[in-house]
Every structure is written in C-alpha cells, then in structure tokens.
Amino acid sequence: MSSIAAYYNGKTVLITGATGFMGKVLMEKLLRSSPDVEAVYILVRPKAGQSMQERVANMVKSKVFDRVREDCPNFQEKIKPINAELTQPNLAISAKDSQELLSQVNVVFHCAATVRFDEPLKHALLLNVMGTQQLLLLARQMQKLEAFIHISTAYANCNKRNIEEVIYPPPVETKKLCDLVEWLDESIIQEITPKLIGDWPNTYTYTKALAEYLVQQEKEHFNIAIIRPSIVGASWHEPFPGWIDNFNGASGMIIAAGKGILQTVKVNNDAVADLIPVDVVINLMLAVGWYTAVHRPKTLMVYNCTTGGINPFCWGEIGYHVISTFKRNPLEQTFRIPKAQMTSNHLINQYWITVSHKAPAMLYDFYLRLTGRKPRMMKIFNRLHKSMMLLEYFTCQSWEWSSENMNMLMTQLSPEDRRLFNFDVRQLHWSEYIENYCIGAKKYLLNEDMSGIPAAKQHLRKLRNIQYAFNTTLLVIIWRIFIARSQMARNIWYFVVSLCYKFLSYFRASSTLRH
Ligand SMILES: CCCCCCCCCCCCCCCC(=O)SCCNC(=O)CCNC(=O)[C@H](O)C(C)(C)COP(=O)(O)OP(=O)(O)OC[C@H]1O[C@@H](n2cnc3c(N)ncnc32)[C@H](O)[C@@H]1OP(=O)(O)O
Ligand SMILES: NC(=O)C1=CN([C@@H]2O[C@H](COP(=O)(O)OP(=O)(O)OC[C@H]3O[C@@H](n4cnc5c(N)ncnc54)[C@H](OP(=O)(O)O)[C@@H]3O)[C@@H](O)[C@H]2O)C=CC1
C-alpha cells in the first residue's frame, strides 16, 4: 500500500485556487488516489455572474474528473466548497465556515494567486501577499493542522542566475510596502511600479518572492514547505496525457504557432526551456504534504520543481517538435501554415514580425473589409505581440535551480509511492511529451475533434497553394517593376530569355533528328 495515499485517507484537506489549472489536477489526483479522504474543502469565489455553487457544479462535470468519476462516482460528495475572496479581510469567510475549517483541517495546499504578468501591483500584492498572510493567520489557529504547503514559482527569484532551495531576503519590508499601496493613488502606484519591482520582470514574480518571505516567518508555528514549479505545462500522464485547460505559460504560444498565427518569436534557441508537466508538480505536492506532516523536518523545506538541471531541453528543440507535430496533426482553420522563426536577435525578430505577422494581418484585414466583414487580424496580432514581449524575459535566458530536496524526497519514497506519485523527470521523453502537449491543446483546450484532421490537412494544402500563387505573383510584379526601371535588369532579362530560347530550339532540333 502507498504510504502517501494512506496518509490522506481520513484526513481533511483545504485547497485554495482549486478552480485553477493546478488546483483541479490536485483535487482529481487526491480524490482518486485516496478515496477515503475525509473531506476536501475548497475556497471558491463567485465569478462572472456565477455563484460559488454553480461554479463548483460546473467544475465537477469537467473532463479532468472523468477518471475519478469512473473510479468513485460520488467523488463530489467529498468536495466542500467555502465561499471566500482572498483579497478581502478575513478572506471573506463566514464565521461558521471559519470555525469548521479551524476544527477540521489537517493539510493546506495554497495554490490561489494571480499569475498575470501585467497585474497592477496593488492587486498582485492584495492577492499574492496579503491573501497569503491572511491564510497563514487562519492556519495558525487550525487545531489539527499537520502541514501547510505553499505553491510559489521557480521564477520568484529570477533576478538571480543560480537559485538554491532557500528563501532569499525580500527586496523591501513587505508590511511597509503593503501599507504604502493601501493609501497611495492607483495611478501613482502604476507610475512607481518599475522602480519598486527593480530587477524583477513583473509584479507576479515580485509578489511571489515577497510571499515566500512571509510564509517563512510562520515556520515556528506549524510545519511548512514551499514548492517552486517552473513553467507548468500539460500533463505527462495523469489524468490524461496532454491535459491542459488554460493558455498560460507556453500553452498560448504553442497554440498560436499551431494556428499559424505566430510565425516568429524571440527566443534563445539554446536556452533551457524549463517546462514541467502539471502532474509531476501535483505528485510532488502530495508527496511533500505527506513528508512534511509525517517526518516534520526541523527546517522549512523549499523544493525547486524544475527539469533544466536534470533533463534539459532547449527552446529551439521545443519549437521544432511543436511545428512538426502540428504539421502531422493540424489545428482546424489555421491562418497560415505552421512555421516558427526563432531568434534572440531583436532586429531579425522585428523584421520577421513585419513580414510574417503585420503584412499578412493587414492584407487579411483588407480582404475582410472588402468582403464587408469586420477586420480582426491586426487586433489579434497586437495582443500576441504584447504577450510575446512579456514572455521574452523567460525565453531568452537560462537559470540554474538546485533540486536536492526533490531528489532527497525521491529516496524517501517506497517503490509503490514512486510509481503512484512519480515526479522523476529523468524519465520524461521530451519529443513524446511535446507531441502529447500539442494534441492535448487541440483536444482539451480548443475542443477540436481528432476526426477533423483530414479536413484540417486539406485546409493546409489549400493554404500552401495560395502561398505559392501569392509568392509567384509577387515575384513577377517585383521583377516587372525592376526591369521597367533598370537597364541592367532588362539586359539580364533579355539574356536569360534568349538563353532559354536557344536551349528550347536546341532541344527541339535534337528531338526532331532522333525521329
Ligand atoms: C513554436 C512555439 C514555441 C513556443 C515558444 C514560446 C513559449 C513562451 C513561454 C514562456 C513562458 C514563461 C513563463 C514564465 C514562468 C511562470 O511563472 S508561468 C506563470 C504563469 N503565468 C502566465 O503564463 C501568465 C502570462 N499571461 C499573462 O500575463 C496574460 O495572459 C498576458 C500575456 C498579459 C496577455 O493578456 P491579455 O492580452 O489580456 O489576454 P488574456 O487575458 O490572457 O486572454 C484573453 C482571452 O483570450 C484567450 N486566449 C489567450 N491566448 C489565446 C490563444 N493563443 N488562443 C485562443 N485564445 C486565447 C484567453 O483564454 C482569454 O479568454 P477569456 O478568459 O477572456 O474567455
Ligand atoms: N501555471 C504556471 O505555469 C505556474 C503556476 N505557479 C503557481 O501555481 C499556483 C497555481 O497556478 P495556476 O493553477 O496555474 O493558476 P490559475 O490562474 O489557473 O488559478 C488561480 C487560482 O487562484 C484563484 N484565485 C484568484 N484570485 C482569487 C481571489 N481573489 N480569491 C480566491 N481565489 C482566487 C482562482 O480562482 P478563480 O477561478 O475564481 O479565478 C484560481 O482557482 C499559483 O500560486 C502560481 O503562482 C507556479 C509556477 C508556474
């Protein structure tokens, strides 16, 4: 029997961010591997006109729960949603719910965060820092708490090149900063944000660094561990190979490439692409929860959850496998044939942006206008360029993370646990993983049926023909303009034409002689 699965049976677990990408995979794996878990409390806010109850009812119907639904059809009875908003005082949890949590919870997994790179500093602080602080305050009063697992990011300290499994001192005193943004005008905060975040690339990584320090401050009160995943991608095996449900991290770019929209991207081909499958992160989280509660390490443990130091793969290789997978399994209604120019040279990238992005977008919008439709391509490209600009910090550099704690934990697991909660990324076969990632994005994110592949291939052939016809016409027009303006071009043209004529005459004459 697996010690990790056995540990969670009979326990009450609290998950924040359960409606998110990682939260859902965590819940699914927990309920499937430990069907006798006492209860899984989840903090959920009403959103987009849906009440908490409606959101949870929709969520449990999601495809991600298909496997657990098969194994334990009543799995949703274990899920106990609690109305909460992490940016509000006391997390906006009612007194009754709060009492229930304080008396029941054994393990907390804190996943909720804003992961947007362009989040205004005030909101990122409110959620990622103050929300974490309030959750820690709540956790301090939990009578049966055995472990508190905080999910950070491997890029929380991306202003350093070598990142150890330690908490680095924060750039500012968190309390002072939070007090400051509370009374400062939003527009002033916006203005001073670049100065405040210094050498962090965005408010997300900056606030995650601050949150780590806050979490560390609580280490005397209960057992805490911090997990730092790098770029979380589609699942490797569980619940299904290639499962993905949002456009964050590399997924949006991969889909844009598959749709033939992204044709050039600024990346260092040789830089390590530190992708980590979501199920690897979840397996590590459950193992860390067990280890922290049962073995109670004396110090706060930080687990860098990365692949680069163990099984490296570069952006250039990712690009190659993405494009070749989408050529074999095309997405529907692609804009152009999938192709990706990957360069870290700013000028070359700008050139390709003009030629391969802006020019086709303008032409297509012109065509839409001519046919009485609303132009939309330029808008899509402007959004893509904004995303590319925000992501290039991560695709043009490499980092080195130590992963001793992840390796140490692996040695603590029984063979059964290592099999059921596998986080050994040495076994990851990248080309196979990227292929499943692309196919998963097609199936689960874009809801495209695999039976539509022949039609999608037919569409690609049509695009190829249009491209050939367009390129030939363009070449002829350029040549015509050229010979109209230059005597030398005309001479070359006459020379080539007369050469062709002579060759044809010779060929005709020799074939007549043979007959
Ligand atoms: C050959 C290729 C190789 C690849 C080579 C490059 C890989 C390059 C990876 C770098 C990876 C760094 C990762 C750092 C390491 C962490 O720490 S990862 C942490 C995770 N955080 C993120 O990844 C967040 C990054 N994203 C953002 O901050 C925001 O999305 C951006 C970039 C600011 C864009 O914001 P926006 O323009 O407002 O768009 P956004 O709100 O995201 O989306 C609007 C809508 O369009 C949808 N949408 C977004 N993208 C798409 C899409 N591609 N198609 C269709 N719909 C889409 C959204 O679902 C959304 O729908 P609704 O929810 O409104 O219904
Ligand atoms: N995805 C990645 O590549 C990486 C993620 N991480 C970390 O992993 C964790 C989970 O990320 P991921 O699942 O991808 O993120 P998602 O954006 O998919 O999910 C975020 C979750 O947080 C919840 N949340 C956001 N704001 C609030 C709020 N004000 N009150 C209550 N809940 C809120 C969301 O709820 P709602 O549905 O209501 O919006 C959602 O459940 C984060 O801490 C992130 O920093 C670390 C490294 C990489």
Side-chain angles (χ1 to χ4, degrees), residues 308-327:
I310 307 164
N311 182 0
F313 204 60
C314 298
W315 284 113
E317 294 170 288
I318 296 226
Y320 170 78
H321 289 290
V322 166
I323 297 300
S324 76
T325 303
F326 281 129
K327 281 195 173 150

Side-chain angles (χ1 to χ4, degrees), residues 29-219:
K29 178 75 189 240
L30 177 62
L31 290 162
R32 186 159 45 84
S33 54
S34 305
D36 292 326
V37 61
E38 180 65 28
V40 180
Y41 285 100
I42 59 173
L43 299 190
V44 185
R45 56 179 175 168
K47 194 178 169 185
Q50 283 189 315
S51 69
M52 172 197 76
Q53 288 83 356
E54 286 168 328
R55 291 192 70 196
V56 176
N58 286 337
M59 180 180 72
V60 295
K61 284 188 215 144
S62 145
K63 167 110 190 118
V64 66
F65 294 105
D66 279 4
R67 263 182 85 178
V68 64
R69 196 177 294 112
E70 221 168 81
D71 294 357
C72 2
N74 298 326
F75 77 97
Q76 64 269 40
E77 287 168 9
K78 301 272 178 180
I79 301 174
K80 300 205 178 334
I82 301 270
N83 228 319
E85 165 56 64
L86 266 73
T87 55
Q88 296 295 314
N90 300 322
L91 310 175
I93 300 177
S94 73
K96 184 176 155 285
D97 287 343
S98 185
Q99 272 317 312
E100 201 172 325
L101 293 178
L102 295 185
S103 61
Q104 302 295 326
V105 172
N106 302 115
V107 183
V108 177
F109 289 102
H110 177 35
C111 304
T114 167
V115 301
R116 291 186 70 90
F117 294 157
D118 61 347
E119 195 70 76
L121 181 62
K122 186 169 182 169
H123 187 255
L125 275 171
L126 263 177
L127 181 53
N128 295 355
V129 181
M130 295 190 226
T132 301
Q133 181 155 47
Q134 298 209 60
L135 186 70
L136 288 164
L137 278 176
L138 193 75
R140 218 196 253 197
Q141 303 164 58
M142 288 177 179
Q143 290 129 29
K144 296 184 190 163
L145 188 66
E146 294 172 16
F148 183 103
I149 313 302
H150 172 75
I151 313 306
S152 183
T153 159
Y155 295 97
N157 303 289
C158 57
N159 53 339
K160 296 185 170 45
R161 283 285 150 262
N162 295 305
I163 300 159
E164 303 291 329
E165 291 171 305
V166 296
I167 306 290
Y168 292 97
V172 288
E173 211 179 297
T174 314
K175 170 124 189 21
K176 278 190 185 155
L177 181 63
C178 292
D179 288 345
L180 180 78
V181 298
E182 209 163 347
W183 61 265
L184 261 185
D185 192 69
E186 198 83 47
S187 62
I188 301 176
I189 303 173
Q190 202 80 353
E191 225 166 273
I192 61 172
T193 295
K195 283 236 158 53
L196 285 172
I197 67 174
D199 50 3
W200 270 265
N202 51 48
T203 55
Y204 166 62
T205 48
Y206 178 73
T207 51
K208 288 299 263 190
L210 296 181
E212 281 193 354
Y213 189 74
L214 274 185
V215 173
Q216 190 201 32
Q217 307 276 288
E218 292 294 312
K219 68 175 193 274

Side-chain angles (χ1 to χ4, degrees), residues 458-483:
Q458 176 67 31
H459 179 71
L460 276 193
R461 276 193 289 274
K462 194 175 105 190
L463 287 180
R464 194 161 294 133
N465 292 341
I466 293 176
Q467 191 175 321
Y468 286 150
F470 180 81
N471 287 352
T472 315
T473 316
L474 196 69
L475 214 71
V476 169
I477 293 173
I478 292 173
W479 185 238
R480 286 293 305 153
I481 295 172
F482 200 50
I483 54 175

Side-chain angles (χ1 to χ4, degrees), residues 502-513:
K502 275 183 195 149
F503 178 75
L504 274 177
S505 319
Y506 170 78
F507 184 72
R508 215 178 287 147
S510 61
S511 64
T512 327
L513 276 179

